[in-house]
């Protein structure tokens, strides 16, 4: 190797080492110039997001503006706002991610932790990545329910008449995922959701499904929902927020793990601020904060004992089923919504 070639290689290495941090500095400088970012679907009291947003503002001087909305509402808003964009980043259920991509609503951006995110938790093209997941669980008030249900079919027993609370599977992701979990427990699959629909119909027809109750902390406090179908992280949060004798149970016959994806709008008004926020969400610090909000981080980070002891052990999640892929899972969710639309009449 000639002296000239060695000099060129060393020079190129020095240039790269200097260039990469400069790119990060440029992104941050541009973000600070934008000054803010707007999110959809990210409630401050959901999986500790309020603390995450506050930290981003403290660290990077980026103001956060949010509008809470469902995944379905996000799609509607983004389609209406294409010519006058408002939203920069959003948190969306995996079941709506296919519609997001079909309409070209997500920009491609691979965050600074991209390489440490497992393939099943991200889009190869960088249009979305899931920063956390939650398992469908039973939230049981042990003052109201003495014999605790352990399986999906336990909920069909006469002793639980007028005790089980769930939303409509046509409009609620966790209700739909509950039907899918019950389908798995009764021999079904993403390709065959009928056993789950039959289970939910039996739950309703038996009188075990309580009608007209909105699932929130207030309804749990008033004893209106002795057994609620919830995400496990939401159950833990309700337990600790209310101080009530609430127990989170992962069904022993298995359940569904729902991914929650984050993305940047393809027409984001504050794209650099959005990138900084997404980078932080997937950082070690952001992932730890999500875990402190009881969510399951998608990156393998070490959790302190005080965080782990508030959640269930890993053994409780051995039968959690995650989406096979975006097409199959989205098809299953649609089949459940369509199927229940027919059965509910």
């Amino acid at each position: 190797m000639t002296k000239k070639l060695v000099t060129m290689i060393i020079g190129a290495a020095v240039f790269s080492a200097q260039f990469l941090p400069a790119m990060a500095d440029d992104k941050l400088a541009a973000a600070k110039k934008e000054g803010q970012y707007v999110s959809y679907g990210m409630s401050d009291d959901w999986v500790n997001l309020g603390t995450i947003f506050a930290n981003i503002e403290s660290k990077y001087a980026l103001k956060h503006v949010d509008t809470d909305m469902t995944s379905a509402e996000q799609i509607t808003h983004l389609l209406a706002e294409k010519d006058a964009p408002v939203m920069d980043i959003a948190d969306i259920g995996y079941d709506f991610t296919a519609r997001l991509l079909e309409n070209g609503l997500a920009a491609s951006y691979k965050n600074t932790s991209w390489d440490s995110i497992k393939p099943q938790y991200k889009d190869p093209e960088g249009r979305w990545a899931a920063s956390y997941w939650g398992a469908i669980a039973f939230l049981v008030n042990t003052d109201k329910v003495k014999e605790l249900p352990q399986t999906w079919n336990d909920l069909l027993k006469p002793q639980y008449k007028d005790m089980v609370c769930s939303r409509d599977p046509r409009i609620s992701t966790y209700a739909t995922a509950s039907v899918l979990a019950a389908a798995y427990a009764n021999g079904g699959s993403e390709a065959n959701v009928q056993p789950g629909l039959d289970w939910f119909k039996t739950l309703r027809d038996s009188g075990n499904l309580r009608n007209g109750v909105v699932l929130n902390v207030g309804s749990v406090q008033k004893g209106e929902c002795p057994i609620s179908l919830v995400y496990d992280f939401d159950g833990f949060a309700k337990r600790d927020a209310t101080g009530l004798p609430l127990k989170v149970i992962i069904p022993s016959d298995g359940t569904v793990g729902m991914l929650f994806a984050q993305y940047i709008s393809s027409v984001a008004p504050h794209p650099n601020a959005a990138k900084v926020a997404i980078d932080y969400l997937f950082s070690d610090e952001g992932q730890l904060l999500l875990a402190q909000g009881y969510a399951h981080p998608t990156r393998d980070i070490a959790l302190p004992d005080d965080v782990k002891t508030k959640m269930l052990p890993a053994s409780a999640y051995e039968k959690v089923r995650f989406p096979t892929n975006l097409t199959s899972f989205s098809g299953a969710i649609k089949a459940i919504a369509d199927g229940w639309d027919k059965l509910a009449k």
Side-chain angles (χ1 to χ4, degrees):
M1 185 178 293
T2 66
K3 183 177 180 180
K4 182 178 180 181
L5 181 56
V6 171
T7 301
M8 290 174 62
I9 292 173
I10 293 174
V14 171
F15 174 78
S16 295
Q18 293 174 337
F19 181 70
L20 292 175
M23 285 293 288
D25 289 345
D26 286 349
K27 178 172 59 180
L28 183 55
K32 288 184 175 181
K33 188 175 181 180
E34 293 167 353
Q36 69 170 11
Y37 60 101
V38 177
S39 72
Y40 281 173
M42 292 176 160
S43 173
D44 283 359
D45 60 357
W46 181 263
V47 297
N48 210 24
L49 288 173
T51 302
I52 290 173
F53 295 140
N55 280 13
I56 292 171
E57 181 167 0
S58 175
K59 287 175 177 289
Y60 308 115
L62 298 176
K63 182 181 179 182
H64 171 239
V65 180
D66 71 303
T67 300
D68 299 346
M69 62 178 67
T70 67
S71 298
E73 289 171 337
Q74 281 181 45
I75 303 293
T76 301
H77 276 257
L78 288 173
L79 289 173
E81 296 168 6
K82 270 196 167 183
D83 296 327
V86 176
M87 188 274 279
D88 296 299
I89 65 171
D91 181 83
I92 193 168
Y94 187 76
D95 49 321
F96 279 87
T97 306
R99 287 182 59 189
L100 186 80
L101 303 185
E102 288 167 3
N103 287 283
L105 300 174
S108 178
Y109 176 64
K110 297 183 178 181
N111 63 73
T112 51
S113 301
W114 189 261
D115 291 343
S116 62
I117 302 171
K118 295 177 181 177
Q120 64 265 39
Y121 298 139
K122 61 187 179 182
D123 171 46
E125 297 179 32
R127 294 169 294 178
W128 63 268
S131 64
Y132 66 96
W133 62 272
I136 300 297
F138 307 155
L139 179 64
V140 183
N141 185 322
T142 57
D143 273 354
K144 304 286 184 180
V145 183
K146 299 307 178 184
E147 184 179 340
L148 305 184
Q150 299 297 326
T151 70
W152 289 99
N153 287 342
D154 278 352
L155 296 182
L156 303 179
K157 293 179 178 178
Q159 67 208 58
Y160 301 125
K161 190 173 184 65
D162 198 34
M163 284 191 175
V164 183
C165 294
S166 175
R167 284 181 175 154
D168 191 314
R170 293 169 293 187
I171 60 174
S172 169
T173 297
Y174 71 76
T176 309
S178 296
V179 174
L180 180 58
Y184 279 124
N186 288 282
S189 63
E190 287 179 345
N192 176 23
V193 300
Q194 192 59 48
L197 288 166
D198 294 341
W199 173 89
F200 200 75
K201 183 176 184 299
T202 302
L203 186 72
R204 181 198 65 181
D205 294 348
S206 67
N208 287 13
L209 182 65
R210 179 168 289 196
N211 291 322
V213 176
V214 176
L215 293 181
N216 55 32
V217 173
S219 63
V220 173
Q221 285 175 317
K222 290 182 291 185
E224 293 179 353
C225 291
I227 304 172
S228 299
L229 305 183
V230 301
Y231 292 119
D232 58 343
F233 56 70
D234 203 17
F236 293 131
K238 284 182 171 64
R239 175 198 66 191
D240 292 350
T242 64
L244 293 173
L246 302 177
K247 185 177 179 64
V248 175
I249 299 172
I250 304 298
S252 61
D253 50 352
T255 193
V256 166
M258 176 64 76
L259 306 180
F260 292 87
Q262 290 70 48
Y263 66 96
I264 296 175
S265 169
S266 58
V267 288
H270 312 99
N272 295 289
K275 290 175 183 177
V276 170
I278 290 290
D279 286 349
Y280 183 81
L281 192 62
F282 283 90
S283 69
D284 286 359
E285 187 173 331
Q287 292 279 282
L288 175 58
L289 287 170
L290 286 170
Q292 289 175 344
Y294 311 102
H296 302 273
T298 53
R299 290 183 55 231
D300 290 330
I301 62 166
L303 299 179
D305 289 340
D306 65 324
V307 173
K308 290 190 288 187
T309 54
K310 291 182 179 181
M311 302 165 75
L312 296 175
S315 59
Y317 297 94
E318 290 178 352
K319 293 184 179 180
V320 173
R321 293 176 179 265
F322 289 97
T324 304
N325 57 61
L326 196 56
T327 301
S328 178
F329 187 79
S330 298
I333 296 301
K334 185 178 186 304
I336 289 170
D338 291 346
W340 188 246
D341 193 44
K342 296 176 182 177
L343 291 173
K345 295 177 180 179

